[in-house]
Amino acid sequence: MRLKSSLLGVAAAAVTLAAAIDGASASTTAPAGMTPSPSTAPPPSTALPSSPPPSSPPPTGAACTVRYSVYTWDTGLTSSITITNTGVTTITSWRLAFPLPAGQRITTGWNAVYSPSSGNVTARGLDDHVIIGPGASIAIGFVAEHTGGTGSPSSFTLNGTSCSLS
């Protein structure tokens, strides 16, 4: 019958196409002694081909803004730092690096661990202050001793990416 052979051809083409999309090969020949019918042919695959890889890798740094304020007295100072994620992805396990001005030495801090206590310092988040969602901010800070210099750090980098100052 002509209609039956046409349907078998369509079914075989669908199996071949589905196998090609899945990256496998398909046999369209029926085993000896069996005549395939449209009702026993496997349905065509509904899987979509995978999307092509992105043309460039995602950024590894973080988009950020830092607001730094300082309150000074005699030979001490208290610094407050607000880190804002200005990007569209969540920042996790962050590290904020900055050069502490000469003559200043951190004695204690909050919401971060500071190391070393002077020179080029890196602050890393503590416990519930390790994730900064898009558009969100966190506040950290420290108390330091100073020998007369109460200036502010000249720059900040978050996970290796420069932050703008506000």
Side-chain angles (χ1 to χ4, degrees):
M1 169 181 245
R2 177 92 176 115
L3 181 57
K4 186 174 183 179
S5 65
S6 293
L7 289 174
L8 286 176
V10 169
V15 169
T16 302
L17 176 61
I21 290 173
D22 289 338
S25 62
S27 171
T28 57
T29 308
M34 294 188 78
T35 305
S37 67
S39 63
T40 61
S45 174
T46 57
L48 299 174
S50 62
S51 59
S55 59
S56 62
T60 56
C64 55
T65 299
V66 170
R67 185 175 62 235
Y68 183 89
S69 61
V70 63
Y71 171 78
T72 64
W73 70 93
D74 297 327
T75 59
L77 60 86
T78 301
S79 294
S80 296
I81 303 169
T82 302
I83 307 166
T84 302
N85 177 355
T86 58
V88 295
T89 58
T90 299
I91 299 169
T92 59
S93 301
W94 58 266
R95 293 186 184 277
L96 183 71
F98 55 94
L100 198 61
Q104 295 181 16
R105 186 180 69 80
I106 297 172
T107 57
T108 189
W110 60 91
N111 295 338
V113 174
Y114 298 87
S115 177
S117 61
S118 61
N120 291 319
V121 176
T122 298
R124 65 177 173 80
L126 267 180
D127 302 330
D128 59 343
H129 284 82
V130 295
I131 297 173
I132 312 170
S137 297
I138 61 165
I140 63 173
F142 60 86
V143 175
E145 297 173 337
H146 68 83
T147 58
T150 58
S152 299
S154 57
S155 63
F156 294 87
T157 59
L158 186 64
N159 293 350
T161 300
S162 292
C163 296
S164 59
L165 300 175
S166 67

